[in-house]
Amino acid sequence: MVLIKDQLNRNLTINVTPKRIVCLVPSQTELLYDLGLEQSIVGITKFCVHPTHFKSTIQIVGGTKNIKIEKIKALNPDIILCNKEENTKEIVEACKNICTTHVSDIYTIKDCVLLINQYGEIFDRKENALEIIDKINFNLKDFKNFIKDKPVIKVIYFIWRKPWMVAASKTFINYLLELNKFENVYKELERYPEIDIKEIATQNKQIIALLSSEPYPFKREHALEIEKNNIKTVLVDGEMFSWYGSRLIKSFNYFKTLRQNL
């Protein structure tokens, strides 16, 4: 029996190790795979793109905010994994009526480590979880040594177009921007506000606009729209800035390369 609180501080009692998992969070699906749980995953979302073969081998139950609840019920899951940001409150409530539902809530690497530890306990993969955490911590320490003498760079992190939206404070993205010594121009705002790109022309011209590959797939033609406002742009891998779990093992080397190329 496992007694834990999920990251919404809800008490969960898990009497038997879950053997049938539905995961509604792309980065957590990747984490499950890296924990060695592929054979236990029975349902994922259409956005769970890593590992790539899952889309053809595992039942897709909709999107992160538009699930097919009857498909989930038919899979007879033992546990459903959600995230406060990725999934709506209504989705979580509906899933709770099917089986045990664990909800993550991620803002920092400490939160990520807690989640990995919890999955290690819930799914009897403690050694696998510890291995992933050790790799994350090793790469994080190395990155902190790399970044400590680098100058602070002002950035705007775009996540959407029409309307133009950016990542602001109280997000995991903003936490990783700070770790990279990127000063978020919109750090005084919260979550994912809409902005007027014409207004950024009045900002300091040393600002760099980071255009994420997700959730909106920014391309070079979109960068040109922003560059008309005299702002430098860089296309960045959104998974490195917003996926937690085992993806963090790869993120810090990516951040090194990004900084060296600016």
Side-chain angles (χ1 to χ4, degrees), residues 89-108:
K89 184 178 180 180
E90 291 73 23
I91 285 175
V92 172
E93 291 300 317
C95 290
K96 282 167 54 180
N97 291 328
I98 298 174
C99 65
T100 298
T101 299
H102 180 286
V103 184
S104 62
D105 190 20
I106 305 293
Y107 293 96
T108 68

Side-chain angles (χ1 to χ4, degrees), residues 62-233:
T64 53
K65 292 182 170 58
N66 185 22
I67 62 170
K68 308 296 183 184
I69 196 70
E70 294 304 321
K71 283 189 175 182
I72 294 177
K73 288 180 181 177
L75 292 171
N76 194 28
D78 299 318
I79 193 169
I80 302 171
L81 305 178
C82 298
N83 173 265
K84 182 180 177 181
E85 180 172 296
E86 294 275 3
N87 312 122
T88 66
K89 184 178 180 180
E90 291 73 23
I91 285 175
V92 172
E93 291 300 317
C95 290
K96 282 167 54 180
N97 291 328
I98 298 174
C99 65
T100 298
T101 299
H102 180 286
V103 184
S104 62
D105 190 20
I106 305 293
Y107 293 96
T108 68
I109 290 177
K110 183 179 179 180
D111 295 332
C112 298
V113 169
L114 175 61
L115 178 66
I116 298 167
N117 265 322
Q118 286 195 343
Y119 280 10
E121 285 191 59
I122 292 169
F123 301 112
D124 194 23
R125 290 291 191 278
K126 291 181 182 179
E127 290 186 8
N128 306 64
L130 183 59
E131 183 178 350
I132 290 171
I133 291 167
D134 284 346
K135 289 179 180 178
I136 290 172
N137 286 334
F138 179 86
N139 290 349
L140 173 60
K141 182 178 179 180
D142 176 66
F143 179 72
K144 285 182 174 179
N145 287 330
F146 164 83
I147 201 70
K148 64 182 179 181
D149 296 323
K150 299 292 187 294
V152 174
I153 299 175
K154 287 190 175 185
V155 301
I156 302 171
Y157 190 99
F158 282 91
I159 63 160
W160 202 258
R161 174 178 174 269
K162 293 187 177 180
W164 295 95
M165 297 173 67
V166 299
S169 66
K170 297 186 178 180
T171 62
F172 185 56
I173 292 172
N174 188 68
Y175 172 86
L176 289 181
L177 290 175
E178 291 179 349
L179 193 63
N180 278 271
K181 296 183 75 171
F182 291 143
E183 181 182 344
N184 191 342
V185 170
Y186 292 98
K187 64 184 178 181
E188 301 304 320
L189 301 180
E190 293 184 5
R191 308 299 291 160
Y192 305 105
E194 295 181 22
I195 68 162
D196 183 348
I197 61 169
K198 293 180 181 177
E199 292 180 358
I200 66 177
T202 65
Q203 301 274 3
N204 185 308
K205 298 306 184 292
Q206 297 303 312
I207 292 171
I208 297 177
L210 304 178
L211 276 60
S212 179
S213 60
E214 66 160 49
Y216 187 89
F218 281 102
K219 306 296 182 187
R220 182 59 193 156
E221 59 264 32
H222 307 127
L224 293 174
E225 295 181 63
I226 295 175
E227 289 174 359
K228 290 177 183 178
N229 297 282
N230 298 316
I231 298 291
K232 178 182 177 180
T233 63

